[in-house]
Amino acid sequence: MSLVVLSGCTPDPGLPSDGSSRSTAKPITYSFTLTQSEFDQLSPEDQYMVVNKAMSTFMRGMPADEFFDTSQGLVSPVVRDVSSWTRLQTQLQTPLTSEELLLNEQLVFGFPDDPETTEDDSIPALFTSFDDNQPHQIYVARFLGYPLSHDQFSHWMAYFLANTIMFSPAYEMESTDHQDISRTLGYLQTHIDSGSSVQTVIRGWLHNLSRWRVSRSAENHALEMLELYLGIFNDSEEEQQNTINGGKACAPWSLTDASDNYQLDKDPLIVEGVKAYRVFDQYVSTCDELYDAVVGHPNLMPRVTEVIVNYFLDGSSAEIKNSLISDIVRTGPQTFDDIFLSVIFSEAFLLYSERPKTFEENAFGFLGAMSWSPRSRQWPIDHRTLQTVFHRNSSASVALRAKGWAPMEYKIGRTPFVPLDVLSFASYHKGIRESILLNTRAWDGERYPEESDFTEAAEPRDAPFEIKHGAFYQAGTENLKQTLEDLTAEEMIDYIFLSALGRRATEDEMDTWIAEGLERYMVEVDEDGNNIMRKTNGDRFWEYYTDDYAEIILDYITRLPEFYYYRAVTQ
């Protein structure tokens, strides 16, 4: 079976086909967001850094040879797509067609051979090693494996929100289990994908079993409603009374104990609506009326926006955070898309913020920039990535749990700041250095599937997925990609620095790495006196020193504090 596969089925940028509905996709052009014209005023290097700063937040990255026309070198880099900034914004708002969605599901999760046909029409899965007790793995597989689209973005937004205090399934609690993870993510993704308003999403969530399994009692349910969704923290006597009265309105409802598997129960002996209780400036007599009061409160949208902004602008002053929150609220956002797009593409985040990157942002942003594919056959960043990185019991160096960043785990969600205590950061550094940056075979292309794996098999057939090249090499070889063949050694060094740090090498760094490359026989001087990557094996011109050269440069980069931070464009 021959397939025409979308560009970007594996984790790199992809554009939904022109058959997708684009009626609602439009650039983000608020006064506080970075527009295409403002983006164009940045240097090419800063444009590339900003693109990857935005994309890495949803765990993707742009390869430098896709952003720049490397056939023209990197001395004066030329951007391939002059509307790339607008294009990225519209991609995230454009849904896949039903045909595209079906194809990408098969590519991500695999497709078995049909025994009724004579041809082998199976598709190997992009990801394997799923655990029924870790249902978030399915959502991660989709936002890592789908091409950039609203479908990809909605799965990431659901995952992000389920790791905040507002929606965490709190797997660490005795009263929760894997079904709460599944309920939470399914509820969020379905509503976000369909364009439900923020008020609708929260109103429906307040009475969800998984929310009650976290709050556990009527009064605590009321307390957490006011804190989580309104930012009212029981500080004053009036606020405390609101909590007490809210708990009375919800009194008929309770959570059963462990012997009954923590189910939501209503006491038939308590009659609702008989007595009204004052909450805020109104009276409620039932839990439903309390829910309505919460989602109708003027604090709701500022509070929801604040929770999201705090993650993106960690380290920024309260003044900067509050300014962005106010700017977003003034636009009248209706959906979570409206909020996330406004934050991600804001100037406050892209141009001015400096904060530590999460392990997910750093690792998958780098891998995306390096044209990574889970089909690389290189543990631990291969088809088993969902197990090694995202499983709560993983002992791999890349496991999130060891970094204080376990998914779906904490009652209060992930903190809006990256854990940088000694143990957490030691695990972060070890994992990203040893298993990602220095694990070049995971992303250089040499161990990627190639056409001949299928066309020269015992039963030949066309490749069932698009053959992708790695960061340096053509798939399955150690031949440089055509996009890199003409780069000088100096340009290759800049290519590596741009991919990992979003900047060129400094003059001192360039001199050092040229000298090091010449000494190690990884760089050679051609007949015209230019430094080039060493070519070996006669006329075949295999450049198999390139990944080794990159490895020692990247080892240096892992020791730079700036590698672990988003940097500002404007100081």
Side-chain angles (χ1 to χ4, degrees), residues 103-254:
L103 176 57
N104 278 280
E105 281 287 287
Q106 294 173 347
L107 289 164
V108 171
F109 299 107
F111 185 74
D113 182 32
D114 185 352
E116 300 297 324
T117 62
T118 56
E119 294 183 6
D120 181 3
D121 52 5
S122 64
I123 302 175
L126 190 64
F127 294 104
T128 63
S129 303
F130 291 93
D131 186 332
D132 289 342
N133 291 320
Q134 304 285 292
H136 58 280
Q137 292 175 327
I138 294 172
Y139 293 81
V140 176
R142 287 180 175 137
F143 69 68
L144 287 180
Y146 280 3
L148 291 184
S149 58
H150 188 258
D151 299 86
Q152 181 271 334
F153 196 47
S154 68
H155 279 82
W156 172 80
M157 284 188 283
Y159 176 82
F160 183 102
L161 288 169
N163 281 299
T164 68
I165 194 171
M166 296 186 294
F167 295 100
S168 175
Y171 198 18
E172 67 181 355
M173 295 180 67
E174 178 188 354
S175 53
T176 62
D177 58 29
H178 68 278
Q179 295 179 47
D180 296 293
I181 297 176
S182 185
R183 260 192 298 269
T184 303
L185 288 168
Y187 177 86
L188 287 170
Q189 195 278 325
T190 298
H191 278 279
I192 291 171
D193 190 59
S194 65
S196 295
S197 69
V198 172
Q199 287 87 347
T200 298
V201 174
I202 293 176
R203 175 62 178 82
W205 183 245
L206 292 177
H207 202 61
N208 192 287
L209 171 60
S210 292
R211 173 87 282 276
W212 273 91
R213 280 184 163 184
V214 176
S215 59
R216 298 176 61 139
S217 71
E219 185 168 334
N220 198 52
H221 194 62
L223 170 70
E224 292 186 3
M225 262 189 273
L226 306 189
E227 290 184 346
L228 271 55
Y229 306 105
L230 301 181
I232 297 175
F233 291 100
N234 235 17
D235 293 330
S236 68
E237 185 175 336
E238 180 183 356
E239 290 170 354
Q240 293 169 11
Q241 192 60 50
N242 285 335
T243 296
I244 294 170
N245 289 346
K248 290 177 180 178
C250 291
W253 297 95
S254 63

Side-chain angles (χ1 to χ4, degrees), residues 456-471:
E456 298 177 14
E459 296 182 9
R461 63 164 176 154
D462 292 333
F465 47 77
E466 183 184 19
I467 297 300
K468 303 291 293 183
H469 302 309

